[in-house]
Amino acid sequence: MLKGKNEQRTSLAELGEFGLIKHVTDSIKLIHKSSVKGVGDDAAVLQFDKKQVLVTTDLLVEGIHFDLSYMPLKHLGYKAVMVNLSDIYAMNGLATQITVSIAVSNRFPLEAIEELYAGIHLACATYKVDLVGGDTTSSTKGLLISITAIGEANAKDIVYRNGAKPNDLLVVSGDLGAAYLGLQVLEREKQVFQVNPNAQPDLDNYTYLIERQLKPEARKDILKLLKELKVTPTAMIDISDGLSSEIIHICQQSEVGCNLYEDKIPLDPQVISTCEEFNIDSTTVALSGGEDYELLFTIDTADYPKIKANPNLTVIGHITTPDEGMHLVTRAGQKIALTAQGWNALLKKRAKF
Ligand code: ADP
Ligand code: MG
């Protein structure tokens, strides 16, 4: 990623810290009334009137959370913002501001940081979020990005993880498992490239998987959809670690059990065909893969008619009393206890956001 063709390399030392900050924040135009003061003073000033304020943060470290040999910097910037916005949407809140802090080694020229910020600015413009501050420093090795997202909601609209009750339906947006498989495909191509740098990767069969890994979208649209359908989830969480561990979070915090039906889990055809090719079980990938950034929520059964025909939403199970436990009901009708295996279950290295 750092060695391109028409590569211009402007050293960060030439600009200095303040020059760099100005360079990446100069074009910012604030859109929210709540953003009273953005970049340029000792602190941003925000005003939320009668709303409650949501705050979430994530730290991403090169080599742990991302690999720049197949993650373009623009995508990294975009994804780093998505990961945070997804957490605000999972509370049924409106994301309004972010701050972005970076630590960069001298391996990165200005052009690389411009790419990163192109992705960050694109995410902000697409999701209507103001970039109001951050911090910039150097690192001895590699790139670190920390993003904090701020959002707002009326107290009565906020959806916590702990509101699910017996008989509620368990619903998921979109489809699952694709981002994990996208990562496996990219890792495989990286290894092929290391052995034979002239190999031309043929990724046509994996376009959806790779897009889900490199350019995930936070599901702001699902909140709008639920509002239009007049459905308020009783509990909600975003799927960053895998369906299984997120269901367990909802059940434990709500003090309930659940039955999840294997045959209901929504899978894209590319997920099914690639699982066959890689000889891995698609249910395991959906349960433990992670990085889907879909929303998992529970609704009252009375709301079922409002969502049942919607192609964006799938009912995958229901909530039970706590004594029934948390189970996966397999296609064969067998009941298996759900465990939060996360990526360990797949016994493969995974760059988890
Ligand atoms: P301080 O010395 O108070 O930490 P800085 O010189 O680091 O201030 O930052 C100056 C302004 O630029 C502040 O408003 C800060 O929030 C903003 N800023 C610094 N780094 C970044 C960054 N990487 N992205 C966006 N804004 C930044
Ligand atoms: Mg600073």
Side-chain angles (χ1 to χ4, degrees):
M1 285 318 128
L2 299 174
K3 290 180 233 92
K5 313 128 227 143
N6 49 4
E7 191 72 36
Q8 199 189 338
R9 289 180 62 93
T10 310
S11 119
L12 292 181
E14 258 174 61
L15 275 115
E17 182 191 336
F18 300 129
L20 176 60
I21 295 172
K22 186 164 163 23
H23 195 86
V24 295
T25 60
D26 231 13
S27 63
I28 293 175
K29 291 191 179 58
L30 301 176
I31 52 174
H32 285 281
K33 243 178 49 197
S34 55
S35 305
V36 177
K37 174 77 189 180
V39 169
D41 213 308
D42 296 312
V45 181
L46 309 179
Q47 180 163 12
F48 287 100
D49 298 319
K50 291 191 180 97
K51 303 282 175 112
Q52 289 197 334
V53 179
L54 310 164
V55 181
T56 179
T57 196
D58 268 288
L59 172 64
L60 305 175
V61 179
E62 183 179 357
I64 307 288
H65 303 97
F66 56 89
D67 182 334
L68 290 176
S69 59
Y70 50 70
M71 184 86 183
L73 279 157
K74 185 172 176 183
H75 288 75
L76 176 64
Y78 193 89
K79 184 168 176 174
V81 178
M82 284 312 119
V83 170
N84 279 278
L85 300 191
S86 181
D87 282 321
I88 299 285
Y89 300 143
M91 303 297 291
N92 200 26
L94 175 73
T96 44
Q97 289 89 11
I98 58 166
T99 63
V100 177
S101 298
I102 53 171
V104 233
S105 77
N106 57 13
R107 176 178 131 232
F108 294 88
L110 173 64
E111 288 72 17
I113 305 305
E114 281 176 344
E115 278 295 300
L116 178 74
Y117 269 80
I120 293 171
H121 288 312
L122 176 62
C124 286
T126 309
Y127 285 79
K128 301 200 167 42
V129 171
D130 289 334
L131 174 47
V132 294
D135 199 21
T136 307
T137 189
S138 46
S139 84
T140 49
K141 205 166 145 261
L143 175 66
L144 288 87
I145 311 169
S146 173
I147 296 190
T148 297
I150 296 155
E152 58 171 50
N154 292 314
K156 66 171 179 39
D157 294 330
I158 296 179
V159 178
Y160 295 88
R161 294 177 178 182
N162 67 4
K165 51 190 193 328
N167 295 323
D168 280 357
L169 299 173
L170 197 53
V171 186
V172 71
S173 66
D175 54 70
L176 302 176
Y180 173 81
L181 288 175
L183 181 65
Q184 300 314 310
V185 170
L186 290 165
E187 288 269 355
R188 183 176 71 176
E189 290 312 316
K190 181 185 174 183
Q191 276 160 21
V192 170
F193 182 80
Q194 279 166 348
V195 177
N196 176 10
N198 296 318
Q200 288 294 320
D202 180 9
L203 300 175
D204 285 357
N205 293 333
Y206 314 109
T207 46
Y208 179 65
L209 310 181
I210 291 169
E211 188 176 331
R212 293 280 283 172
Q213 169 60 221
L214 295 184
K215 194 170 182 281
E217 302 288 351
R219 299 308 305 260
K220 185 183 185 182
D221 58 323
I222 297 295
L223 299 194
K224 183 165 168 268
L225 174 67
L226 291 174
K227 212 168 176 181
E228 284 163 7
L229 297 172
K230 297 194 167 49
V231 173
T232 304
T234 50
M236 186 151 61
I237 190 168
D238 72 323
I239 303 182
S240 50
D241 288 342
L243 179 62
S244 174
S245 93
E246 316 302 1
I247 290 181
I248 292 172
H249 282 309
I250 285 189
C251 287
Q252 285 179 339
Q253 296 205 24
S254 301
E255 297 179 30
V256 293
C258 74
N259 284 324
L260 162 69
Y261 293 90
E262 183 180 23
D263 62 344
K264 304 284 189 226
I265 298 173
L267 303 172
D268 185 85
Q270 274 190 14
V271 166
I272 296 168
S273 59
T274 309
C275 278
E276 278 169 19
E277 186 194 333
F278 280 61
N279 200 19
I280 35 182
D281 177 42
S282 56
T283 304
T284 310
V285 167
L287 287 177
S288 307
E291 291 199 273
D292 294 308
Y293 300 108
E294 294 295 341
L295 292 172
L296 171 73
F297 54 92
T298 52
I299 61 167
D300 192 283
T301 44
D303 285 333
Y304 176 62
K306 301 180 194 165
I307 66 136
K308 76 171 180 202
N310 201 290
N312 296 294
L313 304 174
T314 311
V315 177
I316 54 173
H318 60 86
I319 300 297
T320 63
T321 53
D323 51 293
E324 289 195 45
M326 298 174 281
H327 289 101
L328 173 74
V329 182
T330 68
R331 288 188 190 90
Q334 219 188 346
K335 271 181 130 186
I336 302 174
L338 274 181
T339 49
Q341 288 169 319
W343 56 275
N344 279 333
L346 297 154
L347 298 172
K348 282 201 172 164
K349 175 172 161 273
R350 172 179 140 202
K352 195 175 83 58
F353 262 73

